Amino acid sequence: MAQARSFDVPAGDLKAGLDAFSRQAGVQLVYRIEDVRGLRTVGVRANAEPEEVLSRLLAGTRLSVRRDSSGALAIVREAAFPDSEAASVEEVVVTGSRLKNVFDAATPVVSMDRTELLEQGYMDLAEALTDIPGVEEAVSLANSQTATQANGLSTISLRNLGANRTLTLIDGHRTVSNAGNKNAVSLSSIPEFFVDRVEVTTGGGSAVYGSDAIAGVVNIITERRLDGVRARIVGGTTGDGGGDSIEYSVGAGGRFMDDRLYLMAGATYDRQFRLAATDRDRALESILYQPATNTVVTPDLSSNSAGGRFVSGRWFYDESGLKPNFVTAINGYETRNNGTLITPRDNLNGAVKFEYNLTANVKAWGQALYSNVTTDSVREATTVSNSTTFGVNDEFSVGRMSRTLNPFAPTEIKSAASSSGIDFRRRVVEVGPNLIHNERETLRSWVGLEGSLANDWDWKLTYGHGEFNGEQIRGNTLNLQRVQWALDSERVAGVVQCRNAAARADGCVPLNIFGVGSITPEMADYIRADTYYRQNNRQDTIEGYVAGPLFQLPAGAVEAAFGFESRRDHTETHTDPRIQSGVASSSFLPEFEGTIKANEVFTEVSAPILSDAPLAHRLVLNGAVRVADYNLESVGTTVSWRAGVQWSPVPDLRIRSEYARAQRAPDTTELYSPPRDDADTVVDVCSGVTATTPGVVAQNCRADSRIAASMAASGGVFRQLSTSIKAPNAGNPDLFEETADTLTLGAVYRPAFLPGFEASLDYYDIRISDVISSLTNAALLLGCYSDPNGTNNVFCQTITRDDSGQLVRILNQEQNLNETRARGVDVAASYRFDLEQWRVPGRFKASLNYSRRLELSTEYNGISSVETIDEVGAVGTAKNEAKFGLNWSDDNWSVRWSSRYVGSVVDSLEREQQAIAMGWADPLYLYLDDYWRHDLSVSFTPDRRNPKLKVFGTVRNIFNDYGPFLPDGTDSGNQYNYNSTYGVVGRAFTLGLQVEF
């Protein structure tokens, strides 16, 4: 099939003509205008033949209607095609359906086209899509700086239900995960330059696409019409400095062999430069908020100093030597100066695609996408103390140094130490800052055959292969076994040596941690550990289906699709031997592998019941069923289904509703992964407890002898010294599938009296039972210490404290929890118009997208009752979010002003309850005002009808609003005083140039 080519008709004029004719002729035309050059798809609902309807519409123009052998329609410009040349509309990828002729959907679909993607100043797709209300960034360069494994990923989450419940497709096909510890498609591995548009469908889609489509589907539809060469360069910078970016892209495509063969290839390279904490004054403000007392500590310094503190801080070193009585706020270490706000990233992508018409009715096709994403992150040097644990199960500790034998300890420290030895805490800066290098290489490929059959049926058969290989190098971490050996040293015959014979055989270098710079290069080399972690994911799929009309009803043809899919997902990880044995100070990552297989069959039907009847201009019923059989004993066979209705009582109004049941089977990591370390920021519920603090929580905290002893030694109050603790995640082989029942109900209104205006209103309700998740650290702590019967419960079994009562570890294991529910309302409206009556040139478009969250909650079984975690109204889950846009364009210019609105929120719903209970009149950093961000984009094309050259630029966050100040200690903030929901860059600029020839 020859591919349709673009034609030169201004988009505004063509749309106005199509809309006017649709109303006058009493037909419904469904189409998509590609930029300003043509129609992408054409659908006609009328009693008359489509060719006749469209031919009447286009009479007197230089356009005509053509139909190819498969029955597809195209509007073409006569001058562009000789009479003997066939033309057809390109293959249409319809998100949410595999039916051949689908004009409208029973579920909401929001689309973002390539113009908006490429000219709005976005660095990757995830960042662009978050401008759509209901779409949130799960992981980004701005919130994963300290995340060892997620560092550099870029994922999205629909309805805040998690990236693993948002199914990401490429041209309607599944794609391999870009992470070794989760099912997550990183959108940074999909180059914007090759994207034609992105369509987001909300609601359960498992009946059509299988597992994971709980919250909805993101379908990334790639470029397939490039004819000639297209290249662009885009540079970006920020108003306050740092965080620059650059992109180079080129692509070429063309038709060969009498138009039977189409080839396209291209490459893109982009670099995001580091945004350092020193680039932003706000990030260097040293503040710690203490929620237990609603007070602020400044400066917020680390008690882990570069010179070391000893005997519970009674002695410490700074640059001038040994000092008594360590005070954190005065003598502590500032960790912000070396911080990173935006992780630097290098991204190289390539794409190839071909289509070949084997016969008039059969086409072979294939495409491959390659991605190599590299990130480098820097953290503060590792801290080691006598209570530092190591081993697979943290069964060993570094331990205290001998007060009598250690050859480096000064007399003052030896005299103050107890008989059990010298306790210490020291940041090992001489080894160097922690370095995390991630390289993620992904190959995605599909090949297939498709064609047409008799009676207007089509068929398609596809094989897909995806492979992800990731390597992580962790530099300047510590070999804790060697640290233990090197600290246990003695002087023999005037020579300092390690006491352990095995250590000496290992080449042990005695370690001197007493003083700033006391660790020599030889000592640092001995205890340094540069380790690796490697991940491999492989996905293989075979899918096929046929689609076409089953039979005719008076209102039209009953469309159906029947198909199958067979899928195999395999994950395996390999870790450095020092990580496997648990002696490395970096996160413990076990080796594991697992395979999930699924064989599925599905069917989908759409039946027009009524047409042109009283109060039933059109009534369509649609449904789908998918049966999946897994190789997992705990899952077995699942059945997903959906049923929907579309009713137009009058031509201007369409009411739509769908009820669906969707399943998500656990992924390989959720099932098979042993505990793997992670570091979380946690507020200990016992921190701040005194002998007189009332309540069950305080009582249970004091009942812990270690906490009680620490209180006695610290003036009667227990203080958690660090909010960063180990929080390992663990899979669970007993997990079974989660099931979502989703309801959407809405209406679309296109009034005849106001051409160019359309609006939609949709309600959604997603209820996920047996939801696969792990409880938050806060929920585990509260569950443990709020038990009236003490701390002998399942929640406390996940919590580990050291000998001094310090919280050091919380195990987060995946479970099938009771339920997660999300409810809300979406409103969308747009109006295309001109102001010719006032002699204002050009065309305008105003748009609004608004989301109102009604509920986002999770239920789980607590100690004595069902507990509920509510999230609506907190940072990242505002009740109200909106996006406004106003666009003006003429034949040469396009100017767009857009505004994003995030409603007022609280830092933490738990903190709000605490503030009310404590009667605080002015809880700090709790209530956060509305947030607005305004963007401006401009593009210029010297000749809009022949756009071979385009210059474009953007100003994002025009008024340089960084959002609320959220310091360390708040639930949604961090030590750099921001949350990525509001951004960290501030005002930013891009300037780009695109050429075609």
Side-chain angles (χ1 to χ4, degrees), residues 4 56 74 82 90 108 130 173 193 198 221 520 547 622 671 748 811 814 828 864 882:
R56 280 190 289 152
E90 64 178 277
T130 54
H173 304 292
F193 189 69
V198 180
I221 301 168
T520 66
N622 58 271
L671 283 169
V748 180
L811 176 64
E814 300 290 347
S864 58

Side-chain angles (χ1 to χ4, degrees), residues 356 358 362-365 447-451 459-463 543:
Y356 182 69
L358 297 171
V362 179
K363 179 175 71 176
W365 62 274
V447 293
L449 294 171
E450 62 182 76
W459 61 273
K460 189 170 185 177
L461 181 65
T462 303
Y463 167 70
E543 58 179 325

Side-chain angles (χ1 to χ4, degrees), residues 147-265:
T148 304
Q149 297 190 65
N151 189 272
L153 292 177
S154 178
T155 63
I156 61 172
S157 167
L158 292 179
R159 310 293 190 201
N160 279 102
L161 291 174
N164 55 354
R165 295 182 185 91
T166 299
L167 179 60
T168 300
L169 307 173
I170 297 178
D171 292 327
H173 304 292
R174 281 181 173 270
T175 181
V176 69
S177 168
N178 296 102
N181 66 331
K182 66 181 73 176
N183 183 16
V185 176
S186 179
L187 299 192
S188 62
S189 66
I190 304 170
E192 291 178 63
F193 189 69
F194 302 124
V195 174
D196 181 68
R197 68 188 187 275
V198 180
E199 293 185 345
V200 179
T201 303
T202 54
S206 293
V208 176
Y209 292 114
S211 182
D212 304 337
I214 295 285
V217 176
V218 175
N219 192 8
I220 299 165
I221 301 168
T222 60
E223 170 72 78
R224 63 189 67 205
R225 294 168 313 282
L226 180 57
D227 189 5
V229 178
R230 180 189 300 149
R232 79 172 198 154
I233 179 173
V234 185
T237 189
T238 65
D240 292 333
D244 294 346
S245 62
I246 189 72
E247 177 207 325
Y248 307 93
S249 298
V250 63
R255 308 196 71 85
F256 308 93
M257 300 175 63
D258 296 326
D259 280 354
R260 294 179 64 187
L261 174 65
Y262 176 74
L263 294 175
M264 190 193 84

